[in-house]
Amino acid sequence: MEGGGRPSAAQAVLLAASTAITALLYSIYRQKARVARGLEGARKVRLDGDLRAVLLEAPGRCVPYAVIEGVVRSVKDTLSSQFVENCKGVVQRLTLQEHKMVWNRTTHLWNDYEKIIHQRTSTTPFDLVPAEDGAGVTVRVMKPLDAAELGLETVYEKFHPSVQSFTDVIGHYISGERPKGIQETEQMLKVGTALTGVGELVLDNATIKLQPPKQGMPYYLSSLDFESLLQKQESSVRFWKILTVVFGFATCAVLFFLLRKQYRHHRERQHLRQMQEEFRQAQERLSGTEGGEVLKNACVVCLSSTKSCVFLECGHVCSCHECYQALPKPKKCPICRQSITRVVPLYNS
């Protein structure tokens, strides 16, 4: 604590940073909890012959947030894998990712670094159909790339290590970057994949569409079943809640420490004022008694012995040697509360 009981700059920064982190974590927790509650309250509909009748009865022929499970089927053409034979899909993502080691000048360690140098995603229109054939009901999936969780399967992955000469190795150590290689990945949403869609379900003329919701809720096209997807979101909520509680306790601990320090400083100041007031009253009583001139040289602590010490560096002469020895450590002048660095005896001739 600084003078006057105010917290130091470091303590103020610590309290502000802890409060800001706690507020940020709480905001993320509230958002995750809202998503989980919305997902839990989503209406589950079956992909069967009654789906059209359900939408016709709904206000605006729309279910704002619905859960539907089906199997992926392409509308027209399909996308073929570039590396795997007879692998057909409706979403294809090709990624080239650079892997290298970067020298950290602070920790003096080589750290792994990954960077996507190229990524291309292709889509073709597709429907969700019932797992059982012959139902005749389809749901057109709109804007699949807008989904917060898109159930793509990795169908091909290969790492191409970089070839380096001795000169390249020396240059990499000097520059602080050491390439490891390029990783090539292909991901696809294959035809026939079981998919759980969560979004806005609407009847547009004769077509049933699943599209991103308008209330700000996330859009899901997940390969997990609905119960697993809900458990995943609830686990995320618990994780952020625990982080919020931990940093909240840390913030409260810092605040309690600062308030306790300020309270103790206030008590010390109050005690000092009380002692000064008692001393003033004692001097007034002594000045009115007989022999007051002699007692003007009395020790301000015990009021009985003669002053015999000079306190440095403040220079006050106010105490006898016995009372100086009895002062609590760190020893401070009873008059100005300045720290006593050394004591010089006082001799009256």
Side-chain angles (χ1 to χ4, degrees):
M1 301 291 285
E2 294 180 347
R6 294 185 301 271
S8 65
Q11 292 170 341
V13 169
L14 178 62
L15 179 61
S18 179
T19 304
I21 293 175
T22 303
L24 177 62
L25 293 175
Y26 180 72
S27 175
I28 297 175
Y29 159 70
R30 287 288 302 272
Q31 180 183 2
K32 295 290 184 180
R34 183 179 66 86
V35 170
R37 288 195 302 268
L39 190 61
E40 187 177 3
R43 182 177 178 180
K44 299 179 183 178
V45 295
R46 293 179 58 85
L47 191 54
D48 54 19
D50 297 332
L51 179 58
R52 189 177 300 274
V54 170
L55 291 174
L56 286 172
E57 295 175 359
R61 296 185 177 184
C62 170
V63 178
Y65 207 47
V67 180
I68 191 165
E69 297 178 348
V71 176
V72 174
R73 187 182 71 182
S74 62
V75 175
K76 295 180 180 179
D77 299 329
T78 58
L79 302 173
S80 300
S81 171
Q82 294 188 6
F83 305 99
V84 182
E85 295 183 359
N86 301 323
C87 183
K88 304 290 185 178
V90 293
V91 180
Q92 181 186 49
R93 179 173 293 166
L94 298 172
T95 305
L96 291 179
Q97 190 174 37
E98 179 186 15
H99 292 258
K100 61 183 178 180
M101 303 289 287
V102 178
W103 177 255
N104 191 318
R105 301 182 185 277
T106 304
T107 61
H108 299 286
L109 295 173
W110 288 94
N111 298 327
D112 289 324
Y113 178 78
E114 300 175 358
K115 179 183 178 181
I116 295 178
I117 57 178
H118 178 72
Q119 188 174 77
R120 187 186 69 190
T121 304
S122 305
T123 63
T124 186
F126 66 95
D127 294 337
L128 290 181
V129 300
E132 303 84 7
D133 295 333
V137 180
T138 62
V139 173
R140 181 68 50 84
V141 178
M142 311 300 294
K143 300 180 180 180
L145 298 184
D146 291 349
E149 182 173 331
L150 183 59
L152 298 181
E153 177 184 351
T154 300
V155 297
Y156 176 81
E157 188 174 22
K158 186 175 182 179
F159 184 77
H160 304 276
S162 60
V163 180
Q164 305 175 20
S165 64
F166 179 75
T167 306
D168 294 333
V169 173
I170 298 299
H172 296 154
Y173 273 97
I174 294 175
S175 64
E177 293 186 0
R178 189 171 62 188
K180 296 173 64 178
I182 302 295
Q183 183 172 342
E184 190 175 17
T185 306
E186 182 182 25
Q187 296 174 297
M188 296 190 72
L189 179 58
K190 296 193 294 185
V191 174
T193 301
L195 207 63
T196 300
V198 184
E200 184 181 62
L201 201 61
V202 59
L203 178 61
D204 186 7
N205 296 327
T207 305
I208 302 175
K209 296 180 179 179
L210 179 67
Q211 58 191 17
K214 296 183 177 63
Q215 306 95 331
M217 297 298 292
Y219 181 38
Y220 293 102
L221 294 172
S222 176
S223 57
L224 300 173
D225 59 83
F226 177 69
E227 295 299 329
S228 300
L229 181 62
L230 182 59
Q231 290 178 4
K232 181 179 179 181
Q233 297 303 317
E234 291 175 346
S235 298
S236 177
V237 171
R238 286 193 295 270
F239 171 77
W240 288 104
K241 183 178 181 180
I242 291 173
L243 279 183
T244 303
V245 171
V246 169
F247 275 87
F249 273 118
T251 303
C252 292
V254 173
L255 182 60
F256 174 77
F257 171 78
L258 295 180
L259 292 177
R260 180 172 175 269
K261 284 285 187 179
Q262 192 170 9
Y263 174 73
R264 291 180 61 183
H265 178 80
H266 174 72
R267 289 292 301 273
E268 290 178 359
R269 298 285 297 179
Q270 188 177 18
H271 181 65
L272 176 60
R273 287 194 297 267
Q274 183 179 358
M275 290 180 59
Q276 291 174 342
E277 179 64 21
E278 292 177 354
F279 174 69
R280 185 187 62 80
Q281 294 176 359
Q283 281 188 325
E284 290 178 354
R285 290 194 301 269
L286 291 174
S287 61
T289 59
E290 194 173 318
E293 293 294 330
V294 177
L295 291 177
K296 286 183 179 179
N297 291 325
C299 171
V300 300
V301 180
C302 63
L303 300 177
S304 59
S305 301
T306 305
K307 301 173 183 177
S308 60
C309 297
V310 180
F311 295 153
L312 300 177
E313 302 294 332
C314 66
H316 282 116
V317 181
C318 58
S319 171
C320 63
H321 183 71
E322 289 76 9
C323 291
Y324 162 74
Q325 295 291 339
L327 290 176
K329 295 183 179 180
K331 297 183 182 298
K332 296 183 179 180
C333 175
I335 302 300
C336 64
R337 305 301 296 170
Q338 184 176 339
S339 298
I340 301 173
T341 58
R342 60 196 182 99
V343 178
V344 177
L346 178 65
Y347 301 99
N348 295 319
S349 57

